[in-house]
Amino acid sequence: MNLSRTLAVARGDEPADLLLRNARLVNVLSGEIHPADIAIAGPVVAGVGEGYSGRREIDLGGRFVCPGLLDAHVHIESSMVTPAELSKALVPRGVTTIVTDPHEIANVMGLDGIRFMLADAAYAVLDIRVNAPSCVPATDLETSGARLEAIDLEELLAEPRVLGLAEVMNFPGVVQGDEKVLAKLRAFRDRVKDGHCPGLTGHRLSAYAASGISSDHECVTVEEAREKLRAGLTLFLREASNAKNLRDLLPLVTPANERRLCLCTDDRHPIDLLEEGSIDHLVRVAIAEGVDPLTAIRMATLNTAEHYRMDDRGAVAPGRRADLMVFSDLAAPRAEMVFASGELVAQDGEMKVKTLRRRYDHLPRTVRIDPESLDFAIRANGTLARVIGAIPDQLITRHLTREVPVRDGFAVADPATDLLKMAVVERHHGTGGVGLGFVSGIGLTRGAIASTVAHDHHNLVVIGADDESMRTAARAVAEAGGGQAVAVGEREVTTLRLPIAGLMSGDEIGYVRNDMRRLLKAAHENGAQLRDPFMAMSFLALEVIPALKLTDKGLVDVERFEVVPLFV
Amino acid sequence: MNLSRTLAVARGDEPADLLLRNARLVNVLSGEIHPADIAIAGPVVAGVGEGYSGRREIDLGGRFVCPGLLDAHVHIESSMVTPAELSKALVPRGVTTIVTDPHEIANVMGLDGIRFMLADAAYAVLDIRVNAPSCVPATDLETSGARLEAIDLEELLAEPRVLGLAEVMNFPGVVQGDEKVLAKLRAFRDRVKDGHCPGLTGHRLSAYAASGISSDHECVTVEEAREKLRAGLTLFLREASNAKNLRDLLPLVTPANERRLCLCTDDRHPIDLLEEGSIDHLVRVAIAEGVDPLTAIRMATLNTAEHYRMDDRGAVAPGRRADLMVFSDLAAPRAEMVFASGELVAQDGEMKVKTLRRRYDHLPRTVRIDPESLDFAIRANGTLARVIGAIPDQLITRHLTREVPVRDGFAVADPATDLLKMAVVERHHGTGGVGLGFVSGIGLTRGAIASTVAHDHHNLVVIGADDESMRTAARAVAEAGGGQAVAVGEREVTTLRLPIAGLMSGDEIGYVRNDMRRLLKAAHENGAQLRDPFMAMSFLALEVIPALKLTDKGLVDVERFEVVPLFV
């Protein structure tokens, strides 16, 4: 930025590079909506007022202009596309800055994965800021692809895109003062440290807040949110694909506390992103539920910028980045024009600037499985087994005990009674480690589904009605270098290829969305009952959420936090 | 801070060092007032809630607890005492942090003066943060004791107490993009840069805001304030001894904009500080004028902390400094107990901790005047002279033209017609330079008053009815090493000694207040009509405020911004 030139434009001594005439400015600083012309010099707003001229002028005819939207916390990997590709989906919706936690790829590829995200982000119009993943691996009851201690994370402090420390999910470790966790907090002592503390309350919540962690995005009730606000945490109200908390929390919002509230999407998959939107969707939901539009927009702009100390954005004012969203309906803002750093980058839902089509062939394979050695046979050491009980739309599971059929000395699935076999195959180090068990509540009547997206370790997870289908599905995913597949017997029905860390596609988000639809259709045609059985499956292997989960190390009783035998 | 111990106290596993029971917590974060116990570990709040125990406990019996107050902008020199001494006056009033601009001492002693303030601040219970003075000297139409360019100010960036750049009063220089001013902004590009732009509006205001300066405390009307808020400036609402703007601006405050408003005292002299108070007084005024108490307290706490990115204070919450003010009346908060960094430091208006009595004899003399050479004779080069017309309670003056009496070839004062002689004696470099002129509106009928407090250069200013009184008053001040005096003929009536840079006393504030009262009484007894003729006099030499002023270089026509002859 050339400040002398900015000042000359602000004074009116030189024409603006771009002048937006006849705007109704959503001024999140003064708390008003007022008419204004907006004079832009290079990447910043130089002047707001009347009497400016521009080399280029756009008459907005009274349309609203608000700051470009910010997503306070998002895992890009959940969109199944790369940062540069996600940018093309978000920017036309008015989102100009996101704060991402590359937690998933870090669990697969460690610092290399984070560096890939940082490098790819440079190709995005979207300004992608990165928080360092704090919990890699999540626990020692799984095998992940990497381990990041404080000393590793410190390397990220020098990266200009890195803001702070991402959601510290190991809240018991924080509360108890675990030395390795505190070392990470110390490494980021001058940075923003984000939190994640579902249901934490009372003294333990005080301890978590006293650690210097300053946010949470896991509230599910107003009561929980109110206590966390009192404890000093900034709250990110979340509307993800799998966790939809926004409507439940909106009754919390008052003029006296709104400055401590931001909006975040956390995890949104391609279908939701393309059909509903991103943060823009959350703004519309908030307004539809009765939140004042100015407040809803503040929660998506100024508040997030202030939380992350990004003083250069979050408002439309002289000296701030000219990241702007133009829209017509204050009751349901939908971006009609989007400006990023002073440039018109999207209009009517389409990008206006070309971005390079990138190739990702150079990335290392991360699925290290010998497809020929896959063996899901379970020797029957009993007939009464622990069974994971999936619950629709919940991350928690039931810890069931059931009789399982035994054939030729092996325990087998029984789809007729909703008993499926499940396997988690270690895929990072080629150890051949496999955890085996049973699950109910998925509802496949035949065939199998497989995926390398499995929070947080992202090992290969397979659920099926028979071993052959499971081997076919697992082989399809392994040969694709990662992804999700549906198979029946020897037939690979359909596969969504996610060769980047087994988490992301190198393709455009529209293709990924189509593949995902095909995949869900195939799963449903084979009897799957859940809306998204792949998402459900991905959390059946997440051993930090109760009650019974399966990792490559075996069945985990989360309440006892230890591996337990399959047979009782 | 020992985080492990803080966490243990927060969890309730170890007793707090201090537990405040039965508080009504003014929670500026959640925007509520709610019952709470406050558990303190070392210097920080560890837990807020119920069920804690403490090694020491205080039952507050339902009294209110709010965060320690912050003054967003204050010149300590105006209190006429040292930082360590001012601390003893402010802390019992609930003020625990101030942001000071050592602009006055910097104009006398340059970096040495700033370093003295920084060193003395270390002896204060009050947490004194310092902004680097941006305008030393104010202009080239005066002789100040020092000159600080960007390269000099950069030395201060390494000082832990230094936050940012203090009020950039040279707003024309900012707006026009003056290279020396921009160099200072660049030096502080990552720091907060405070502003000062009285009456600035329109395009020029946009330019000032576009420069990255982010505050202003010079608003006098709601209309002016509203435009500045829209332009993105945080506003400090000021109630100084000489500029009382708070009541005029309070109608501006709404729930939608209050987060962008802070409170500041700017300049308050000892009498006002001891009789009305500091920021606590502003909070009471705001509430009395109808502002919601929670909002008033936020403007004095959280908002200021956020403006300066002091995330460790400004709220009572786990992990933040235990800077607390206890009071009983929400309609007029008056500190009954004050805690700083977890320690009870004041109670019922008295400090509870002893501070070292400091000596300041080692400081260099800054008044370099030979009392024997003082000569205030004005050879009459005409009879029609430019005369400064003082206006009660205003910093601006009238530019008058009057016949002046001539005796023996010299132009003389004529107190009978309210015409007094004024002199500004260069006192920094011993040059013997003297500016001479006439003033009306002060109202002395005999004698003279003299002072080394004269914004911004702080040369020795004398106003008198006759030359002998003027010489006596000037000599008294010079011999004291700086200060203020009243003299009649050869008699030194009374002198307030300010030997530290000619601005501050090394004595206690109570003594200074008493001396100041004696001084004002003596001035009034000799006919002075203004409430505080010394303050009025100090601004008669400030050549950045219209219309006609006198510096050591002569009469300055501020509108033409040049030295003009005394006689027309």
Side-chain angles (χ1 to χ4, degrees):
Chain A
M1 186 183 71
N2 179 336
L3 182 54
S4 297
R5 155 112 179 106
T6 304
L7 295 176
V9 171
R11 291 192 305 268
D13 289 349
E14 294 183 19
D17 295 321
L18 173 63
L19 180 65
L20 304 182
R21 285 198 187 276
N22 295 317
R24 271 187 290 175
L25 177 59
V26 181
N27 194 322
V28 294
L29 297 169
S30 67
E32 307 160 290
I33 297 175
H34 59 80
D37 295 349
I38 301 164
I40 294 168
V44 302
V45 172
V48 173
E50 298 174 344
Y52 285 110
S53 65
R55 289 189 183 129
R56 188 176 161 217
E57 301 194 355
I58 300 175
D59 192 325
L60 295 181
R63 281 194 275 182
F64 296 96
V65 175
C66 76
L69 307 180
L70 290 87
D71 191 338
H73 174 69
V74 54
H75 301 286
I76 290 176
E77 299 94 323
S78 293
S79 71
M80 296 180 173
V81 293
T82 60
E85 176 60 25
L86 180 63
S87 169
K88 289 152 61 183
L90 297 194
V91 168
R93 288 172 171 73
V95 182
T96 51
T97 299
I98 66 172
V99 179
T100 191
D101 170 12
H103 172 75
E104 316 308 340
I105 198 167
N107 266 286
V108 177
M109 299 174 66
L111 284 177
D112 286 347
I114 299 169
R115 293 226 164 85
F116 162 73
M117 299 296 267
L118 289 166
D120 197 64
Y123 291 84
V125 169
L126 184 66
D127 191 13
I128 299 173
R129 299 306 177 100
V130 174
N131 273 343
S134 63
C135 300
V136 179
T139 81
D140 289 327
L141 297 178
E142 64 180 38
T143 305
S144 69
R147 176 173 293 276
L148 297 180
E149 301 295 354
I151 196 168
D152 306 304
L153 298 178
E154 274 176 1
E155 289 192 31
L156 297 172
L157 287 168
E159 295 282 348
R161 285 184 188 279
V162 170
L163 291 179
L165 190 65
E167 50 173 341
V168 185
M169 290 178 282
N170 186 0
F171 59 88
V174 173
V175 169
Q176 288 307 319
D178 177 278
E179 187 43 44
K180 285 192 168 184
V181 178
L182 297 195
K184 291 175 183 172
L185 299 181
R186 276 195 297 271
F188 286 79
R189 59 188 165 276
D190 297 328
R191 306 291 188 100
V192 174
K193 293 168 285 297
D194 279 331
H196 163 120
C197 54
L200 201 63
T201 182
H203 290 178
R204 285 159 53 81
L205 175 60
S206 273
Y208 194 71
S211 75
I213 291 169
S214 63
S215 71
D216 176 68
H217 57 268
E218 295 291 332
C219 292
V220 296
T221 67
V222 166
E223 186 187 18
E224 178 184 1
R226 193 161 282 140
E227 187 183 352
K228 286 176 175 172
L229 267 185
R230 286 182 174 184
L233 297 180
T234 294
L235 302 187
F236 303 164
L237 310 186
R238 172 177 62 184
E239 189 77 353
S241 285
N242 55 335
K244 297 181 189 296
N245 310 113
L246 182 60
R247 285 181 182 81
D248 291 342
L249 297 176
L250 286 175
L252 173 76
V253 183
T254 70
N257 67 24
E258 58 112 323
R259 67 199 275 187
R260 310 287 299 172
L261 305 175
C262 308
L263 301 180
C264 83
T265 64
D266 205 353
D267 297 280
R268 282 180 86 76
H269 62 50
I271 297 176
D272 284 352
L273 280 173
L274 294 181
E275 296 186 355
E276 290 180 338
S278 166
I279 288 294
D280 58 318
H281 170 65
L282 277 68
V283 169
R284 288 188 294 270
V285 168
I287 296 171
E289 297 279 317
V291 172
D292 178 70
L294 198 115
T295 297
I297 290 169
R298 268 182 167 176
M299 293 196 297
T301 57
L302 181 64
N303 298 0
T304 308
E306 289 191 346
H307 174 74
Y308 287 113
R309 304 175 190 159
M310 290 194 278
D311 298 330
D312 65 342
R313 67 195 72 190
V316 181
R320 302 214 187 203
R321 283 167 64 109
D323 291 351
L324 311 171
M325 165 172 156
V326 177
F327 61 96
S328 294
D329 184 359
L330 196 59
R334 241 170 243 285
E336 294 161 10
M337 287 187 230
V338 180
F339 298 85
S341 293
E343 193 181 355
L344 178 63
V345 290
Q347 192 161 12
D348 300 328
E350 301 290 334
M351 289 297 288
K352 294 282 284 179
V353 291
K354 287 281 169 215
T355 47
L356 282 178
R357 182 89 184 89
R358 303 202 64 213
R359 294 179 63 92
Y360 298 99
D361 320 1
H362 63 288
L363 293 172
R365 260 185 108 78
T366 61
V367 180
R368 298 188 184 89
I369 290 175
D370 174 6
E372 300 316 312
S373 70
L374 291 170
D375 182 357
F376 302 131
I378 301 177
R379 191 163 292 278
N381 293 327
T383 56
L384 201 61
R386 293 181 169 87
V387 172
I388 300 170
I391 306 173
D393 293 326
Q394 300 242 27
L395 307 188
I396 59 169
T397 62
R398 291 202 184 82
H399 184 154
L400 308 173
T401 309
R402 272 189 61 173
E403 289 282 342
V404 294
V406 176
R407 202 175 300 153
D408 303 331
F410 294 94
V412 297
D414 184 13
T417 62
D418 189 26
L419 184 75
L420 300 175
K421 197 185 268 186
M422 176 170 169
V424 178
V425 186
E426 194 284 312
R427 61 105 158 172
H428 301 292
H429 311 289
T431 61
V434 180
L436 292 166
F438 291 94
V439 61
S440 76
I442 299 297
L444 281 179
T445 51
R446 58 174 188 165
I449 61 176
S451 173
T452 50
V453 178
H455 304 280
D456 290 337
H457 46 71
H458 302 296
N459 283 309
L460 194 159
V461 190
V462 201
I463 292 175
D466 64 275
D467 287 13
E468 184 171 37
S469 297
M470 289 173 73
R471 278 194 300 270
T472 307
R475 190 183 305 121
V477 165
E479 286 173 354
Q484 300 183 323
V486 177
V488 178
E490 287 188 343
R491 185 167 63 92
E492 174 185 340
V493 179
T494 186
T495 300
L496 164 59
R497 300 167 63 84
L498 301 172
I500 302 175
L503 300 171
M504 288 173 282
S505 165
D507 281 334
E508 292 183 11
I509 192 169
Y511 292 118
V512 177
R513 185 247 333 250
N514 295 343
D515 281 356
M516 193 176 172
R517 282 205 178 125
R518 253 192 298 275
L519 200 71
L520 292 175
K521 185 159 171 281
H524 290 139
E525 283 172 355
N526 287 295
Q529 287 159 359
L530 300 175
R531 195 171 57 90
D532 186 343
F534 287 91
M535 186 180 292
M537 179 167 67
S538 82
F539 288 105
L540 296 181
L542 177 56
E543 77 280 16
V544 294
I545 296 181
L548 186 67
K549 298 294 175 82
L550 182 68
T551 79
D552 63 301
K553 296 195 175 179
L555 272 179
V556 176
D557 179 331
V558 180
E559 266 127 36
R560 289 160 60 187
F561 213 65
E562 60 184 31
V563 173
V564 292
L566 175 56
F567 292 98
V568 183
Chain B
M1 186 183 68
N2 180 337
L3 182 54
S4 297
R5 156 111 179 108
T6 304
L7 295 176
V9 170
R11 290 194 304 268
D13 290 348
E14 293 183 20
D17 295 321
L18 173 63
L19 180 65
L20 304 182
R21 284 197 188 276
N22 295 318
R24 271 187 290 176
L25 177 58
V26 181
N27 193 321
V28 294
L29 297 169
S30 66
E32 307 161 292
I33 298 174
H34 58 81
D37 294 349
I38 301 163
I40 294 168
V44 302
V45 172
V48 173
E50 298 174 342
Y52 286 109
S53 65
R55 288 191 184 129
R56 189 177 159 215
E57 301 194 356
I58 301 176
D59 191 326
L60 295 181
R63 282 194 276 182
F64 297 96
V65 175
C66 76
L69 308 180
L70 290 87
D71 191 339
H73 173 69
V74 54
H75 301 286
I76 290 176
E77 299 95 321
S78 294
S79 71
M80 295 179 174
V81 293
T82 61
E85 175 61 24
L86 180 63
S87 169
K88 289 152 61 182
L90 297 194
V91 168
R93 287 171 172 75
V95 182
T96 51
T97 299
I98 67 171
V99 179
T100 190
D101 170 13
H103 173 76
E104 316 308 340
I105 197 169
N107 266 286
V108 176
M109 298 174 69
L111 285 177
D112 286 347
I114 298 170
R115 294 226 162 84
F116 162 71
M117 299 296 268
L118 288 167
D120 197 64
Y123 291 84
V125 169
L126 184 66
D127 191 14
I128 299 172
R129 298 305 176 102
V130 174
N131 273 343
S134 63
C135 301
V136 178
T139 81
D140 288 327
L141 297 178
E142 63 179 41
T143 304
S144 69
R147 174 174 293 275
L148 297 180
E149 302 294 356
I151 197 169
D152 306 305
L153 298 178
E154 275 175 2
E155 288 192 31
L156 296 172
L157 287 168
E159 294 282 349
R161 287 185 185 278
V162 171
L163 291 178
L165 191 64
E167 52 173 340
V168 185
M169 290 179 280
N170 185 359
F171 59 87
V174 173
V175 170
Q176 287 306 317
D178 178 279
E179 187 43 44
K180 285 192 167 183
V181 177
L182 297 195
K184 291 175 184 172
L185 299 181
R186 275 196 297 271
F188 286 78
R189 61 187 163 276
D190 298 326
R191 306 291 190 99
V192 175
K193 294 169 284 295
D194 279 331
H196 163 121
C197 56
L200 201 62
T201 181
H203 290 179
R204 285 159 52 81
L205 174 60
S206 274
Y208 193 71
S211 74
I213 292 168
S214 64
S215 71
D216 176 67
H217 57 268
E218 294 291 333
C219 292
V220 296
T221 68
V222 167
E223 186 188 17
E224 178 184 3
R226 193 161 281 142
E227 187 183 352
K228 286 176 175 173
L229 267 185
R230 287 182 174 185
L233 298 179
T234 295
L235 302 186
F236 304 164
L237 311 186
R238 172 177 62 187
E239 189 77 353
S241 285
N242 54 334
K244 297 180 189 295
N245 309 113
L246 182 60
R247 285 181 181 82
D248 290 343
L249 297 176
L250 286 175
L252 173 76
V253 183
T254 70
N257 68 24
E258 58 110 323
R259 68 200 274 186
R260 310 286 299 170
L261 305 174
C262 308
L263 301 179
C264 83
T265 63
D266 205 355
D267 298 279
R268 282 180 86 78
H269 63 50
I271 296 176
D272 284 352
L273 280 174
L274 294 181
E275 296 186 355
E276 290 180 336
S278 167
I279 289 294
D280 59 317
H281 170 65
L282 276 68
V283 169
R284 289 189 292 271
V285 168
I287 296 170
E289 296 279 318
V291 173
D292 178 69
L294 198 113
T295 297
I297 290 168
R298 269 182 165 175
M299 294 195 296
T301 58
L302 181 64
N303 297 1
T304 307
E306 289 192 347
H307 174 74
Y308 288 113
R309 303 175 190 159
M310 289 193 278
D311 298 330
D312 65 342
R313 69 195 72 189
V316 181
R320 300 212 187 205
R321 283 166 65 108
D323 292 351
L324 311 171
M325 165 171 156
V326 177
F327 60 97
S328 295
D329 183 359
L330 196 60
R334 243 171 242 285
E336 293 161 10
M337 286 187 234
V338 181
F339 298 85
S341 293
E343 192 180 356
L344 178 63
V345 290
Q347 193 161 12
D348 301 327
E350 301 291 334
M351 289 298 287
K352 293 282 286 181
V353 291
K354 286 282 169 212
T355 47
L356 281 178
R357 182 89 184 89
R358 304 201 65 214
R359 294 180 62 92
Y360 299 98
D361 320 2
H362 63 288
L363 293 172
R365 257 184 111 78
T366 61
V367 180
R368 298 187 185 89
I369 290 175
D370 174 7
E372 301 315 313
S373 71
L374 291 170
D375 182 357
F376 302 129
I378 300 177
R379 190 163 291 278
N381 293 325
T383 55
L384 201 61
R386 293 183 169 84
V387 173
I388 300 170
I391 306 173
D393 293 326
Q394 301 242 24
L395 306 188
I396 58 169
T397 62
R398 291 202 184 84
H399 183 154
L400 309 173
T401 309
R402 273 190 60 172
E403 288 282 341
V404 295
V406 176
R407 201 174 300 152
D408 302 331
F410 293 94
V412 296
D414 184 14
T417 62
D418 188 25
L419 185 75
L420 299 176
K421 196 186 268 188
M422 175 170 170
V424 178
V425 186
E426 194 284 310
R427 61 106 159 172
H428 302 292
H429 310 289
T431 61
V434 181
L436 292 167
F438 292 94
V439 61
S440 76
I442 299 297
L444 280 179
T445 50
R446 59 173 189 165
I449 61 176
S451 172
T452 50
V453 178
H455 304 280
D456 291 336
H457 46 70
H458 302 296
N459 283 308
L460 193 158
V461 190
V462 202
I463 292 175
D466 64 275
D467 287 12
E468 183 171 35
S469 298
M470 288 173 73
R471 278 195 301 271
T472 306
R475 189 183 305 119
V477 165
E479 286 173 355
Q484 301 183 320
V486 177
V488 179
E490 287 187 345
R491 184 166 66 91
E492 174 185 339
V493 179
T494 184
T495 300
L496 164 59
R497 299 167 63 84
L498 301 172
I500 303 175
L503 300 171
M504 288 173 282
S505 165
D507 281 334
E508 292 183 12
I509 193 168
Y511 292 118
V512 176
R513 186 248 331 252
N514 295 344
D515 280 356
M516 193 177 172
R517 282 203 179 128
R518 252 192 300 274
L519 199 72
L520 291 175
K521 183 158 174 281
H524 290 139
E525 282 171 356
N526 287 293
Q529 286 159 0
L530 300 176
R531 195 171 57 91
D532 185 345
F534 286 92
M535 184 180 291
M537 179 166 70
S538 83
F539 288 104
L540 296 181
L542 177 56
E543 77 279 17
V544 294
I545 296 180
L548 187 67
K549 297 294 175 80
L550 182 69
T551 78
D552 63 301
K553 296 195 174 179
L555 272 179
V556 176
D557 179 330
V558 180
E559 267 126 37
R560 289 162 58 188
F561 213 65
E562 61 183 31
V563 173
V564 292
L566 174 56
F567 291 99
V568 182

